[in-house]
Amino acid sequence: MSHEVLRLDATGQARAVREGEVSARELAEAAIARIESRDGTVNAVVHRRFERALKEADDVVPGAPFAGVPTLLKDLGWAMEGEPYRAGSRVLDGMTTRRDGYAVAKLRRAGFVVLGRTNTPEFGTAITTEPVLSGPTRNPHDPRYSSGGSSGGSAAAVAAGMVAVAAASDGGGSIRIPASMCGLVGLKPSRGRVSSGPSAGEPWAGFSASGMLCRTVRDGAATLDVIAGTMPGDPYGAPAWRRPLAEEVGADPGRLRIGFLTAHPDGSAPPDADLVTAVTGAAGLLEALGHHVEPGGPSALADEDFARHFGTIVAAHVAADLDEVGRWRGRPVELEELEERNRILGAAGRGLGVVGYLASRDWIDAFRRRMAAWWEAHDLLLTPSLGVAPFRLGWLPPGDVSTAPGRTRRAVAFTSPVNATGQPAISLPLHRTADGLPVGVQLVAAAGREDLLVRVAAQIEAERPFAHPASA
């Protein structure tokens, strides 16, 4: 019974608890047993709070939408009162947080039982989860491969069947890339949809968004319903939906106008055979479902200056985050304490002037308007989620500063522009390589239109249900 209930998605697990088929404690115990049996290989969970979680499962409030459903929190953002917070970095080892973040409080009120925290690259600045602090997270589909990043620990935990959903965040692709690598549904919300408070206002100038990694579209919709909403003091919020997002599952999306790209217009992500197959296959499926599908995308994507301005803003915020960490722990963070990638980012950010930073923000503002113009005549953009084929652990050598930046730029070519514009996007597991590795496709909607993404994603899932062999 315990193994079978773990195969259910979070919505199914909640129903099983509600209808008395399994107790919240039994479900938590099953998830804990799964973590203990699989995590020695996968290395997804870097902090375990099993005893406290079991007590919380015993005390779960009946009637909450996800009463008794186990979950895990990414160890970056997602602060939980009294729990360790390391963000994948040695400079935070031993630190704990004093209060729940707003999104965590909402998860707990919804009845989720938090079993622990998941692995992440140092400060979330890599597309693979291989921190020096806690070691690499391995892809459950093939342990030689990366689970992606920066939410690679959460993705691997869901793909391995440890939990049905896990908390994540996305500043340049960090939900969608692990979703693609691990064969999951990864929905990045619109800017301002989920509060980053009370500790932050707009992380990475609003590029970063919090969300959940799931196995089904309905879980992606229902969990976003739980954590969405502007909180007092937030700098802005996303426009409200006309009804809960979960009610969009199964709703007719109508005949949509969809453009698709198999290669990035700026040439940074040359076409890979599996990426082309994934996108053209998805395009054919969408056309068969009655949508108007044609090649093409926003011309603004071809602007080669984007990566420079995006990188400037990220470097500035990494430097500011390091200063904040120094104040929190009581002594400044020295660059020598960091992994090489973050030494470079931190140094670049500390060397920036205010005028240069603001100039890059202004450039991104103009880029956002150029991108938005394309959606005036289209409903969705279809692309690969990850701009490169699935890659092995070590593909981004930690000390090789000549190779890693170019590879990273190719990998995030389709995701990071959507962080800059603040649009919602979803990665769906619609293809596998000859070796059985997942390859995701990305759908991007206009700002605020998660409802449209959920409608069409659910339509795709109903036509071609997603398989999750690694969770068996």
Side-chain angles (χ1 to χ4, degrees), residues 404-431:
R407 289 183 172 179
T408 299
R409 181 185 175 191
R410 292 195 301 276
V412 303
F414 297 104
T415 54
S416 60
V418 185
N419 293 88
T421 62
Q423 294 170 249
I426 192 167
S427 180
L428 301 176
L430 285 178
H431 179 68

Side-chain angles (χ1 to χ4, degrees), residues 15-34:
R15 181 183 299 114
V17 172
R18 189 163 53 247
E19 295 179 356
E21 297 174 12
V22 64
S23 70
R25 170 173 275 268
E26 289 170 335
L27 185 53
E29 287 174 339
I32 289 168
R34 182 74 170 184

Side-chain angles (χ1 to χ4, degrees), residues 311-359:
T312 293
I313 291 172
V314 169
H317 282 269
V318 167
D321 290 343
L322 294 176
D323 288 349
E324 179 61 27
V325 167
R327 288 189 289 272
W328 184 22
R329 72 174 190 173
R331 65 183 190 281
V333 174
E334 303 296 338
L335 295 179
E336 291 73 22
E337 298 179 78
L338 304 171
E339 295 179 25
E340 184 65 23
R341 174 186 66 259
N342 287 316
R343 290 177 197 164
I344 294 169
L345 280 172
R350 288 175 175 177
L352 280 172
V354 173
V355 173
Y357 170 76
L358 292 176

Side-chain angles (χ1 to χ4, degrees), residues 10 49 68 74 87 108 188-189 195 229 250 264 297 354 471:
R49 58 185 308 274
K74 180 180 180 179
R108 298 178 79 180
K188 182 197 84 70
S195 175
H264 200 278
V354 173
S471 67

Side-chain angles (χ1 to χ4, degrees), residues 37-350:
S37 68
R38 294 295 304 274
D39 204 42
T41 300
V42 176
N43 191 35
V45 184
V46 293
H47 170 65
R48 302 178 180 189
R49 58 185 308 274
F50 294 163
E51 290 186 10
R52 280 167 288 179
L54 288 171
K55 184 178 186 306
E56 290 164 9
D58 289 337
D59 297 336
V60 74
V61 178
F66 287 97
V69 175
T71 192
L72 292 160
L73 304 178
K74 180 180 180 179
D75 195 22
L76 178 67
W78 298 99
M80 187 173 183
E81 181 181 358
E83 297 297 326
Y85 186 93
R86 300 185 296 178
S89 180
R90 293 167 290 185
V91 304
L92 280 169
D93 202 14
M95 303 296 292
T96 59
T97 45
R98 296 180 180 177
R99 62 177 295 182
D100 288 351
Y102 290 144
V104 171
K106 290 179 179 182
L107 285 177
R108 298 178 79 180
R109 284 197 297 270
F112 281 104
V113 175
V114 178
L115 300 182
R117 301 182 69 80
T118 60
N119 206 8
T120 183
E122 186 180 59
F123 297 116
T125 57
I127 59 166
T128 184
T129 302
E130 304 177 51
V132 171
L133 176 66
S134 46
T137 294
R138 299 171 187 86
N139 194 316
H141 294 270
D142 185 331
R144 298 172 298 175
Y145 280 77
S146 171
S147 63
S150 63
S151 306
S154 288
V158 175
M162 300 175 191
V163 291
V165 296
S169 58
D170 190 317
S174 291
I175 289 175
R176 293 156 289 160
I177 288 171
S180 178
M181 294 283 281
C182 292
L184 303 174
V185 174
L187 173 57
K188 182 197 84 70
S190 296
R191 177 171 300 168
R193 181 69 68 196
V194 179
S195 175
S196 298
S199 62
E202 48 171 10
W204 284 14
F207 292 174
S208 185
S210 296
M212 306 290 285
L213 281 155
C214 316
R215 295 197 293 261
T216 62
V217 174
R218 70 177 185 174
D219 274 2
T223 55
L224 186 51
D225 279 333
V226 166
I227 62 176
T230 306
M231 299 298 288
D234 285 350
Y236 42 70
W241 306 306
R242 65 186 182 92
R243 60 183 178 182
L245 203 58
E247 294 182 15
E248 302 296 348
V249 176
D252 184 2
R255 187 171 189 261
L256 304 179
R257 303 160 298 172
I258 303 173
F260 71 91
L261 297 170
T262 55
H264 200 278
D266 73 355
S268 63
D272 172 89
D274 276 302
L275 306 189
V276 172
T277 300
V279 171
T280 54
L285 175 58
L286 288 163
E287 191 168 47
L289 289 168
H291 302 294
H292 175 75
V293 183
E294 61 183 9
S299 60
L301 283 175
D303 198 320
E304 295 183 356
D305 287 333
F306 170 78
R308 174 169 58 86
H309 290 290
F310 186 91
T312 293
I313 291 172
V314 169
H317 282 269
V318 167
D321 290 343
L322 294 176
D323 288 349
E324 179 61 27
V325 167
R327 288 189 289 272
W328 184 22
R329 72 174 190 173
R331 65 183 190 281
V333 174
E334 303 296 338
L335 295 179
E336 291 73 22
E337 298 179 78
L338 304 171
E339 295 179 25
E340 184 65 23
R341 174 186 66 259
N342 287 316
R343 290 177 197 164
I344 294 169
L345 280 172
R350 288 175 175 177

